[in-house]
mmCIF file of all heavy atoms in Angstrom:
data_model
loop_
_atom_site.group_PDB
_atom_site.id
_atom_site.type_symbol
_atom_site.label_atom_id
_atom_site.label_comp_id
_atom_site.label_asym_id
_atom_site.label_seq_id
_atom_site.Cartn_x
_atom_site.Cartn_y
_atom_site.Cartn_z
ATOM 1 N N THR A 436 0.837 -1.188 -0.006
ATOM 2 C CA THR A 436 0.002 0.005 0.004
ATOM 3 C C THR A 436 0.890 1.238 0.012
ATOM 4 O O THR A 436 2.103 1.126 0.123
ATOM 5 C CB THR A 436 -0.945 -0.017 1.202
ATOM 6 O OG1 THR A 436 -1.951 1.002 1.038
ATOM 7 C CG2 THR A 436 -0.210 0.186 2.503
ATOM 8 N N ASN A 437 0.267 2.407 -0.139
ATOM 9 C CA ASN A 437 1.036 3.639 -0.362
ATOM 10 C C ASN A 437 1.220 4.505 0.854
ATOM 11 O O ASN A 437 1.937 5.517 0.764
ATOM 12 C CB ASN A 437 0.411 4.441 -1.490
ATOM 13 C CG ASN A 437 0.605 3.807 -2.822
ATOM 14 O OD1 ASN A 437 1.645 3.238 -3.147
ATOM 15 N ND2 ASN A 437 -0.445 3.831 -3.659
ATOM 16 N N SER A 438 0.643 4.165 1.984
ATOM 17 C CA SER A 438 0.770 5.054 3.144
ATOM 18 C C SER A 438 0.653 4.272 4.435
ATOM 19 O O SER A 438 0.049 3.169 4.478
ATOM 20 C CB SER A 438 -0.333 6.172 3.093
ATOM 21 O OG SER A 438 -1.577 5.599 3.377
ATOM 22 N N VAL A 439 1.212 4.839 5.492
ATOM 23 C CA VAL A 439 1.097 4.269 6.792
ATOM 24 C C VAL A 439 -0.357 4.196 7.239
ATOM 25 O O VAL A 439 -0.811 3.234 7.858
ATOM 26 C CB VAL A 439 1.977 5.050 7.809
ATOM 27 C CG1 VAL A 439 1.709 4.584 9.261
ATOM 28 C CG2 VAL A 439 3.462 4.888 7.485
ATOM 29 N N GLU A 440 -1.108 5.270 6.930
ATOM 30 C CA GLU A 440 -2.501 5.336 7.291
ATOM 31 C C GLU A 440 -3.305 4.125 6.723
ATOM 32 O O GLU A 440 -4.072 3.488 7.432
ATOM 33 C CB GLU A 440 -3.104 6.653 6.817
ATOM 34 C CG GLU A 440 -2.643 7.852 7.574
ATOM 35 C CD GLU A 440 -1.344 8.423 7.007
ATOM 36 O OE1 GLU A 440 -0.712 7.808 6.135
ATOM 37 O OE2 GLU A 440 -0.925 9.503 7.465
ATOM 38 N N SER A 441 -3.091 3.878 5.422
ATOM 39 C CA SER A 441 -3.843 2.776 4.810
ATOM 40 C C SER A 441 -3.424 1.451 5.324
ATOM 41 O O SER A 441 -4.218 0.557 5.522
ATOM 42 C CB SER A 441 -3.710 2.849 3.280
ATOM 43 O OG SER A 441 -2.374 2.658 2.857
ATOM 44 N N ALA A 442 -2.086 1.300 5.630
ATOM 45 C CA ALA A 442 -1.609 0.012 6.170
ATOM 46 C C ALA A 442 -2.158 -0.249 7.550
ATOM 47 O O ALA A 442 -2.594 -1.375 7.864
ATOM 48 C CB ALA A 442 -0.075 0.030 6.217
ATOM 49 N N LEU A 443 -2.159 0.783 8.377
ATOM 50 C CA LEU A 443 -2.748 0.606 9.764
ATOM 51 C C LEU A 443 -4.254 0.305 9.674
ATOM 52 O O LEU A 443 -4.754 -0.484 10.482
ATOM 53 C CB LEU A 443 -2.490 1.868 10.579
ATOM 54 C CG LEU A 443 -1.105 2.039 11.119
ATOM 55 C CD1 LEU A 443 -0.930 3.417 11.746
ATOM 56 C CD2 LEU A 443 -0.750 0.962 12.188
ATOM 57 N N THR A 444 -4.924 0.946 8.752
ATOM 58 C CA THR A 444 -6.360 0.636 8.599
ATOM 59 C C THR A 444 -6.590 -0.809 8.152
ATOM 60 O O THR A 444 -7.473 -1.492 8.680
ATOM 61 C CB THR A 444 -7.001 1.586 7.567
ATOM 62 O OG1 THR A 444 -6.816 2.923 7.999
ATOM 63 C CG2 THR A 444 -8.465 1.333 7.349
ATOM 64 N N MET A 445 -5.761 -1.287 7.246
ATOM 65 C CA MET A 445 -5.854 -2.705 6.823
ATOM 66 C C MET A 445 -5.610 -3.642 8.018
ATOM 67 O O MET A 445 -6.302 -4.626 8.209
ATOM 68 C CB MET A 445 -4.833 -2.972 5.712
ATOM 69 C CG MET A 445 -5.148 -2.317 4.389
ATOM 70 S SD MET A 445 -3.778 -2.499 3.194
ATOM 71 C CE MET A 445 -3.854 -4.269 2.881
ATOM 72 N N LEU A 446 -4.609 -3.293 8.802
ATOM 73 C CA LEU A 446 -4.297 -4.113 9.988
ATOM 74 C C LEU A 446 -5.479 -4.087 11.005
ATOM 75 O O LEU A 446 -5.908 -5.123 11.493
ATOM 76 C CB LEU A 446 -3.018 -3.612 10.666
ATOM 77 C CG LEU A 446 -2.575 -4.299 11.945
ATOM 78 C CD1 LEU A 446 -2.243 -5.748 11.671
ATOM 79 C CD2 LEU A 446 -1.348 -3.569 12.526
ATOM 80 N N ALA A 447 -5.952 -2.884 11.309
ATOM 81 C CA ALA A 447 -7.017 -2.768 12.309
ATOM 82 C C ALA A 447 -8.286 -3.466 11.875
ATOM 83 O O ALA A 447 -9.032 -4.037 12.743
ATOM 84 C CB ALA A 447 -7.335 -1.297 12.543
ATOM 85 N N HIS A 448 -8.575 -3.510 10.584
ATOM 86 C CA HIS A 448 -9.796 -4.145 10.084
ATOM 87 C C HIS A 448 -9.598 -5.629 9.792
ATOM 88 O O HIS A 448 -10.520 -6.295 9.269
ATOM 89 C CB HIS A 448 -10.282 -3.445 8.810
ATOM 90 C CG HIS A 448 -10.813 -2.059 9.092
ATOM 91 N ND1 HIS A 448 -11.146 -1.171 8.077
ATOM 92 C CD2 HIS A 448 -11.037 -1.406 10.247
ATOM 93 C CE1 HIS A 448 -11.557 -0.030 8.616
ATOM 94 N NE2 HIS A 448 -11.498 -0.156 9.965
ATOM 95 N N GLY A 449 -8.441 -6.163 10.081
ATOM 96 C CA GLY A 449 -8.218 -7.613 9.960
ATOM 97 C C GLY A 449 -7.941 -8.098 8.533
ATOM 98 O O GLY A 449 -7.954 -9.272 8.252
ATOM 99 N N ARG A 450 -7.636 -7.164 7.625
ATOM 100 C CA ARG A 450 -7.322 -7.578 6.252
ATOM 101 C C ARG A 450 -5.922 -8.140 6.160
ATOM 102 O O ARG A 450 -5.595 -8.877 5.237
ATOM 103 C CB ARG A 450 -7.502 -6.396 5.296
ATOM 104 C CG ARG A 450 -8.948 -5.912 5.158
ATOM 105 C CD ARG A 450 -9.029 -4.580 4.420
ATOM 106 N NE ARG A 450 -8.379 -4.644 3.121
ATOM 107 C CZ ARG A 450 -8.150 -3.551 2.374
ATOM 108 N NH1 ARG A 450 -8.488 -2.336 2.815
ATOM 109 N NH2 ARG A 450 -7.568 -3.682 1.229
ATOM 110 N N VAL A 451 -5.049 -7.799 7.122
ATOM 111 C CA VAL A 451 -3.724 -8.416 7.261
ATOM 112 C C VAL A 451 -3.483 -8.683 8.730
ATOM 113 O O VAL A 451 -4.172 -8.120 9.598
ATOM 114 C CB VAL A 451 -2.621 -7.492 6.686
ATOM 115 C CG1 VAL A 451 -2.760 -7.248 5.187
ATOM 116 C CG2 VAL A 451 -2.594 -6.144 7.423
ATOM 117 N N GLU A 452 -2.537 -9.554 8.975
ATOM 118 C CA GLU A 452 -2.132 -9.839 10.391
ATOM 119 C C GLU A 452 -0.957 -8.996 10.863
ATOM 120 O O GLU A 452 -0.847 -8.738 12.074
ATOM 121 C CB GLU A 452 -1.790 -11.320 10.577
ATOM 122 C CG GLU A 452 -2.970 -12.230 10.658
ATOM 123 C CD GLU A 452 -3.366 -12.763 9.285
ATOM 124 O OE1 GLU A 452 -2.516 -12.877 8.388
ATOM 125 O OE2 GLU A 452 -4.563 -13.030 9.117
ATOM 126 N N LEU A 453 -0.138 -8.529 9.929
ATOM 127 C CA LEU A 453 1.086 -7.826 10.301
ATOM 128 C C LEU A 453 1.322 -6.679 9.352
ATOM 129 O O LEU A 453 1.032 -6.781 8.134
ATOM 130 C CB LEU A 453 2.328 -8.725 10.275
ATOM 131 C CG LEU A 453 2.338 -9.931 11.266
ATOM 132 C CD1 LEU A 453 3.521 -10.837 10.972
ATOM 133 C CD2 LEU A 453 2.385 -9.419 12.703
ATOM 134 N N PHE A 454 1.857 -5.593 9.915
ATOM 135 C CA PHE A 454 2.264 -4.427 9.126
ATOM 136 C C PHE A 454 3.711 -4.157 9.420
ATOM 137 O O PHE A 454 4.119 -3.981 10.527
ATOM 138 C CB PHE A 454 1.407 -3.233 9.493
ATOM 139 C CG PHE A 454 1.907 -1.883 8.997
ATOM 140 C CD1 PHE A 454 2.508 -1.751 7.775
ATOM 141 C CD2 PHE A 454 1.770 -0.745 9.769
ATOM 142 C CE1 PHE A 454 3.016 -0.540 7.315
ATOM 143 C CE2 PHE A 454 2.224 0.498 9.351
ATOM 144 C CZ PHE A 454 2.842 0.610 8.106
ATOM 145 N N ALA A 455 4.562 -4.221 8.347
ATOM 146 C CA ALA A 455 5.987 -3.957 8.490
ATOM 147 C C ALA A 455 6.255 -2.506 8.261
ATOM 148 O O ALA A 455 5.966 -1.958 7.181
ATOM 149 C CB ALA A 455 6.775 -4.834 7.514
ATOM 150 N N SER A 456 6.810 -1.842 9.255
ATOM 151 C CA SER A 456 7.027 -0.391 9.180
ATOM 152 C C SER A 456 8.162 0.027 10.112
ATOM 153 O O SER A 456 8.764 -0.832 10.756
ATOM 154 C CB SER A 456 5.747 0.342 9.558
ATOM 155 O OG SER A 456 5.841 1.729 9.353
ATOM 156 N N ASN A 457 8.437 1.307 10.148
ATOM 157 C CA ASN A 457 9.351 1.825 11.158
ATOM 158 C C ASN A 457 8.568 2.521 12.266
ATOM 159 O O ASN A 457 7.487 3.038 12.040
ATOM 160 C CB ASN A 457 10.428 2.708 10.550
ATOM 161 C CG ASN A 457 9.886 4.028 9.993
ATOM 162 O OD1 ASN A 457 9.370 4.841 10.696
ATOM 163 N ND2 ASN A 457 10.048 4.214 8.702
ATOM 164 N N VAL A 458 9.147 2.493 13.447
ATOM 165 C CA VAL A 458 8.494 3.046 14.606
ATOM 166 C C VAL A 458 8.244 4.511 14.476
ATOM 167 O O VAL A 458 7.162 5.033 14.819
ATOM 168 C CB VAL A 458 9.290 2.709 15.863
ATOM 169 C CG1 VAL A 458 8.676 3.360 17.114
ATOM 170 C CG2 VAL A 458 9.436 1.208 16.093
ATOM 171 N N ARG A 459 9.247 5.256 13.977
ATOM 172 C CA ARG A 459 9.147 6.722 13.895
ATOM 173 C C ARG A 459 7.976 7.187 13.063
ATOM 174 O O ARG A 459 7.239 8.114 13.430
ATOM 175 C CB ARG A 459 10.458 7.277 13.369
ATOM 176 C CG ARG A 459 10.455 8.782 13.132
ATOM 177 C CD ARG A 459 11.700 9.263 12.415
ATOM 178 N NE ARG A 459 11.980 8.432 11.254
ATOM 179 C CZ ARG A 459 11.361 8.569 10.087
ATOM 180 N NH1 ARG A 459 10.435 9.499 9.916
ATOM 181 N NH2 ARG A 459 11.681 7.791 9.077
ATOM 182 N N ASN A 460 7.785 6.577 11.868
ATOM 183 C CA ASN A 460 6.704 7.008 11.030
ATOM 184 C C ASN A 460 5.328 6.509 11.471
ATOM 185 O O ASN A 460 4.320 7.094 11.153
ATOM 186 C CB ASN A 460 6.966 6.454 9.578
ATOM 187 C CG ASN A 460 7.624 7.494 8.712
ATOM 188 O OD1 ASN A 460 7.298 8.642 8.706
ATOM 189 N ND2 ASN A 460 8.609 7.033 7.951
ATOM 190 N N THR A 461 5.328 5.419 12.238
ATOM 191 C CA THR A 461 4.028 4.774 12.575
ATOM 192 C C THR A 461 3.404 5.291 13.844
ATOM 193 O O THR A 461 2.195 5.566 13.927
ATOM 194 C CB THR A 461 4.222 3.244 12.673
ATOM 195 O OG1 THR A 461 4.833 2.784 11.450
ATOM 196 C CG2 THR A 461 2.881 2.549 12.847
ATOM 197 N N GLU A 462 4.215 5.510 14.880
ATOM 198 C CA GLU A 462 3.659 5.921 16.167
ATOM 199 C C GLU A 462 2.819 7.196 16.114
ATOM 200 O O GLU A 462 1.766 7.259 16.748
ATOM 201 C CB GLU A 462 4.803 6.061 17.184
ATOM 202 C CG GLU A 462 5.320 4.699 17.685
ATOM 203 C CD GLU A 462 6.345 4.847 18.831
ATOM 204 O OE1 GLU A 462 6.918 5.958 18.927
ATOM 205 O OE2 GLU A 462 6.557 3.880 19.553
ATOM 206 N N PRO A 463 3.243 8.249 15.341
ATOM 207 C CA PRO A 463 2.379 9.449 15.310
ATOM 208 C C PRO A 463 0.998 9.247 14.649
ATOM 209 O O PRO A 463 0.089 10.006 14.899
ATOM 210 C CB PRO A 463 3.226 10.451 14.528
ATOM 211 C CG PRO A 463 4.607 9.958 14.558
ATOM 212 C CD PRO A 463 4.490 8.449 14.609
#
């Protein structure tokens, strides 16, 4: 996917089990 926002949404809605990212970009 193209953004942290969309990846986190996919994770939260159960479309994936894991999101690979960096802590700095994801925590905010």
